Every structure is written in C-alpha cells, then in structure tokens.
C-alpha cells in the first residue's frame, strides 16, 4: 500500500507540474502574441527611423530636404517623413491646451509633436475624423492642429473645427483632424492626449527621419541609405533602427520567459512520459498473473484497459484540481502588470488536460494491446 501511494504521489506531482507549465506557456505565448500584433495606431513594418543629429555639415532643414530627394530617386521607398519624436519613444515636449470656453485652471496637459505634411501617411496612421495636413492649405503650417482620440474625448468629442487655446501662451489653433491613437512610450500604458502641428520651429532642432521601405525590400533600402548617407550629410553618422525591431526589443524579457517556460514544459512532459511508462511497466510485471487469469476468465479489452487507467485517474484528478486554480491565480497576477492584456480562457487548461490525459491513455492502450496479444497460458504454465 505504501508503494502504491508513493507511486501515485510522484505521478501526481509530475501531472501537476506538466498541467501548470503547459497552461503557463500557452498564456504567456498568447500575451506576447497579443502585444506584438496589437494595433499601435501606425504600421511599424518596413519603417526605418534615423537619428537626425544636431551636429553635422548640413542644417537639419537641409538634411530633411536632401533625404526626401534621395528617397524620391529610388524605387525602394514608398514614403518619407520627419517628426520631433518617433512612435513608441518618449514625448518630452508637453504643453497646456483648453477650449476658449474653459477656465485657465481647466487646461489639459498634452504631448506636443512637430511633424511634416507626410508624417501620418508615411507611418500608416489613420485619420479618424476630419482631414490630414495638406500643403494646399497655407494655414496648416500656422494655425492648424491634429489631435488624437484621447484628447478629442477630453474636449467633448466632435473636435473637428473646434479651437484650442494654449500652446505655451494664449495661442489659438483650429482642430482640422483627429488621428487614431498612436502609442508613444511603452505600449503597456493607455495613449495620452496628443497634439500634432506642422514642423514647429520651437522644436525644429530635434527631428527624426522616417523612411518607409517597399514590401520585402527593407534590407536593400537600408543598404541604399547606408551607401548614400554622405549625400545627406558627409559628417553626421548614419544611425538607424527598424521600428518593428525597436518594438520587439521592448518585450525581449517576456520572450525569454516564454522560451524558459517552453523548455521547462518539454522537460516536464518528457519526465511525465517516463513516469507513465514506468508505472505501466510496473503494473504489467506485478500483475502479470492477474492479467492472465482475467484473460482466461473472458476479460475483454475494456476491462484490461481499466486496470491501467485506475493507476492514473486518481492522481490526475487530484493534481488537476490543484494545478488549475493555482496557475490561474499566478497567471492573472502576472497579467495585471499589462494595460493591454489577453484573457485567460478555460481552453488553455483543457488543452493541458487533454495532452496529459492523452499521454497516459495512449501508453495504457499500448500496454493493453500487449496483454491482449500475449497468450495467457504462457504466463501461468509454471504456476
């Protein structure tokens, strides 16, 4: 009896560990997959961002102009733009704005970005209301502003056409469009209120350059920029990053967690499989005469299989009842640190249970087939 209980205890621990690790691996993978594919308000694929250094042979305005000319001469690119910050990067410039009907103490703190006319189109941002900046409107570079959806909500919605007062004083700007929320900073947080203006001279000394490469031509586009950067500035170094790589690097820690969980799950399943095989072999050798007598007395395949399954069902039920609530609590606690998170569905636990149960059912089926195939007389001949 002690041997049976110890055997079932060890098997239960292995089942508990396997169910927990399988469920944890699935949830962690779903969370990272959810984050990496979530809508950031722009299209990061094929987007190359270069740092427009302050020091160089050419002024920042000259670099923007020369870079745009270089892009237009190459079929490797589909767009070019510049802005004072890049998406997913921190926004250091902030200002206060309010509606004319609001009191000064009701001002809203917003992030403030200078962009060019092609910025939203190049990064693939969506104008939800109104219109994009347009060179055909001479006032766009002076008195127009595009705000994001978060700021539009805070000023009561229907923002297009409204005036905003502030911008480091009592300056007035008219909202010409509302852009879908673009994430700045880490994507764990809800996008803050943002205001975009056309190349503000007050922050014109800190612009990034954006190169949109054609599909499947990112490497060639990067090579082209590297070889021809001297045409843009012969002194300033060529420093760049792919927006998609920058975003993925933010969650490199989570990716390592998934890799660790995956390896641990494989090892746990391997040990569980060894445990199931050893238990099945032990049952076969310790009950070899019993099996033979059962066969002679007319036992069918179902009853023989039941003998094996009785070794696994009790530890399986107990281990599953302990593992599921514990893993759920731990995973839910882990997910709370993400503002944007996936949901823990019962299907992940069902999948884990099916994998574990399927393992011992398959092994039991193989052992049952072996018993059914053997001649019972051979095992009882010398008894």
């Amino acid at each position: 009896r002690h041997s049976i209980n110890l055997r079932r205890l060890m098997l239960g621990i292995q089942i508990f560990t396997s169910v927990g690790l399988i469920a944890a691996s699935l949830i962690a993978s779903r969370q990272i997959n959810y984050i990496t594919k979530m809508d950031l308000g722009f299209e990061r694929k094929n987007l190359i961002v270069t740092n427009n250094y302050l020091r160089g042979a050419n002024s920042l305005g000259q670099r923007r102009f020369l870079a745009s000319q270089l892009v237009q001469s190459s079929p490797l690119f589909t767009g070019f733009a510049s802005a004072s910050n890049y998406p997913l990067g921190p926004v250091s410039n902030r200002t206060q704005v309010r509606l004319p009907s609001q009191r000064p103490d009701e001002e809203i703190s917003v992030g403030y970005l200078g962009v060019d006319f092609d910025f939203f189109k190049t990064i693939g941002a969506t104008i939800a209301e109104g219109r994009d900046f347009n060179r055909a409107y001479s006032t766009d570079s002076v008195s127009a502003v595009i705000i994001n959806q978060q700021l539009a909500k805070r000023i009561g919605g229907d923002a297009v056409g409204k005036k905003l007062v502030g911008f480091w004083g009592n300056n007035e700007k008219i909202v010409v469009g509302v852009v879908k929320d673009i994430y700045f900073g880490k994507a764990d947080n809800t996008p803050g209120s943002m205001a975009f203006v056309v190349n503000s001279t007050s922050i014109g000394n800190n612009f990034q350059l954006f190169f949109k490469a054609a599909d499947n031509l990112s490497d060639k586009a990067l090579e082209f920029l590297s070889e021809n950067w001297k045409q843009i500035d012969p002194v300033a170094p060529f420093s760049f990053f792919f927006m998609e790589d920058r975003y993925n690097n933010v969650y490199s820690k989570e990716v390592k967690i998934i890799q660790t969980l995956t390896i641990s799950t494989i090892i746990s399943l391997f040990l569980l499989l060894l445990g199931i095989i050893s238990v099945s072999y032990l049952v076969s050798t310790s009950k070899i005469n019993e099996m033979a007598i059962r066969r002679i007395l007319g036992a069918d395949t179902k009853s023989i299989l039941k003998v094996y399954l009785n070794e696994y069902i009790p530890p399986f039920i107990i281990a599953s009842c302990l593992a599921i609530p514990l893993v759920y609590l731990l995973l839910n606690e882990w997910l709370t640190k993400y503002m944007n998170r996936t949901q823990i569905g019962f299907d992940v636990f069902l999948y884990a249970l099916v994998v574990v149960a399927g393992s011992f059912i398959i092994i039991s089926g193989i052992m049952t087939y072996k018993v059914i195939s053997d001649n019972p007389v051979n095992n009882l001949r010398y008894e």
Side-chain angles (χ1 to χ4, degrees):
R1 181 175 299 176
H2 291 300
S3 175
I4 293 174
N5 291 336
L6 180 60
R7 185 171 67 209
R8 289 180 175 177
L9 175 62
M10 297 302 295
L11 191 60
I13 293 174
Q14 290 176 324
I15 293 174
F16 175 90
T17 305
S18 297
V19 171
L21 286 174
I22 292 173
S25 298
L26 289 174
I27 289 296
S29 298
R30 282 188 181 183
Q31 176 61 20
I32 296 303
N33 187 60
Y34 178 82
I35 292 174
T36 54
K37 292 185 178 181
M38 65 180 290
D39 186 5
L40 300 174
F42 70 99
E43 177 55 58
R44 59 186 182 272
K45 186 179 180 182
N46 300 323
L47 188 61
I48 305 172
V49 183
T50 64
N51 292 313
N52 199 355
Y53 288 93
L54 299 181
R55 296 181 180 179
N58 298 324
S59 66
L60 298 178
Q62 287 177 312
R63 291 182 212 169
R64 288 199 298 270
F65 174 75
L66 293 173
S68 65
Q69 294 297 307
L70 184 65
V71 167
Q72 292 175 13
S73 67
S74 172
L76 299 173
F77 301 93
T78 60
F80 168 79
S82 63
S84 59
N85 292 82
Y86 58 86
L88 304 179
V91 178
S92 56
N93 294 288
R94 302 196 67 83
T95 187
Q96 307 292 322
V97 300
R98 60 181 173 85
L99 295 172
S101 59
Q102 292 179 313
R103 301 187 308 272
D105 61 351
E106 296 179 313
E107 288 182 329
I108 303 170
S109 177
V110 301
Y112 187 80
L113 265 73
V115 302
D116 64 15
F117 288 97
D118 299 318
F119 175 72
F120 296 118
K121 180 176 65 176
T122 299
I123 69 171
T126 301
I127 302 297
E129 300 176 37
R131 61 175 177 84
D132 196 352
F133 292 124
N134 194 324
R135 291 182 177 84
Y137 297 91
S138 58
T139 56
D140 274 10
S141 58
V142 179
S143 58
V145 62
I146 290 178
I147 64 176
N148 69 345
Q149 293 174 317
Q150 289 292 328
L151 182 54
K153 292 177 183 178
R154 297 188 66 179
I155 62 175
D158 297 325
V160 177
K162 288 183 177 180
K163 291 183 179 180
L164 292 178
V165 181
F167 305 99
W168 292 288
N170 290 320
N171 300 306
E172 283 191 358
K173 292 186 181 293
I174 299 175
V175 178
V176 298
V178 176
V179 67
K180 191 174 180 179
D181 289 332
I182 301 172
Y183 279 85
F184 288 88
K186 198 171 182 181
D188 287 346
N189 302 316
T190 302
S193 299
M194 300 293 300
F196 303 86
V197 297
V198 174
N199 289 354
S200 172
T201 56
S202 63
I203 51 176
N205 60 348
N206 188 32
F207 271 75
Q208 311 293 322
L209 303 180
F210 299 81
F211 299 88
K212 188 67 173 181
D215 288 340
N216 302 319
L217 295 176
S218 295
D219 292 337
K220 291 184 178 179
L222 180 62
E223 183 180 357
F224 176 83
L225 287 175
S226 179
E227 292 174 352
N228 294 277
W229 183 255
K230 295 298 183 182
Q231 298 181 29
I232 299 174
D233 197 300
V235 176
F238 177 57
S239 177
F240 72 94
F241 61 86
F242 283 99
M243 184 62 73
E244 191 164 20
D245 291 342
R246 174 61 61 91
Y247 182 66
N248 292 337
N249 288 338
V250 172
Y251 296 99
S252 59
K253 181 180 178 181
E254 283 80 357
V255 173
K256 291 181 181 178
I257 291 175
I258 292 178
Q259 292 174 345
T260 303
L261 283 173
T262 301
I263 294 173
S264 300
T265 301
I266 293 173
I267 295 174
S268 177
L269 287 175
F270 177 73
L271 294 176
L272 176 63
L273 191 61
L274 289 180
I276 294 173
I277 292 174
S278 63
V279 170
S280 298
Y281 179 77
L282 183 61
V283 172
S284 296
T285 54
S286 63
K287 297 185 179 183
I288 185 169
N289 293 338
E290 177 186 337
M291 296 292 188
I293 294 173
R294 285 176 178 269
R295 289 281 291 123
I296 291 173
L297 294 178
D300 57 4
T301 303
K302 183 178 179 181
S303 61
I304 298 297
L305 178 62
K306 187 177 179 180
V307 173
Y308 286 100
L309 294 182
N310 284 338
E311 291 290 326
Y312 307 113
I313 291 177
F316 174 74
I317 293 176
I318 295 174
S320 300
C321 291
L322 292 175
I324 291 175
L326 179 61
V327 172
Y328 178 86
L329 292 175
L330 292 175
L331 290 176
N332 191 62
E333 179 66 23
W334 178 66
L335 289 174
T336 53
K337 71 176 185 178
Y338 297 97
M339 182 67 68
N340 299 291
R341 49 169 288 183
T342 187
Q343 299 299 318
I344 302 177
F346 180 73
D347 58 318
V348 296
F349 298 104
L350 181 62
Y351 179 81
L353 296 177
V354 168
V355 170
V356 173
S359 300
F360 64 72
I361 289 175
I362 291 173
I363 298 299
S364 298
I366 294 174
M367 300 304 294
T368 300
Y369 175 77
K370 185 177 182 303
V371 171
I372 296 297
S373 301
D374 290 341
N375 187 348
V377 176
N378 295 331
N379 296 325
L380 298 175
R381 179 174 298 171
Y382 300 104
E383 291 295 328

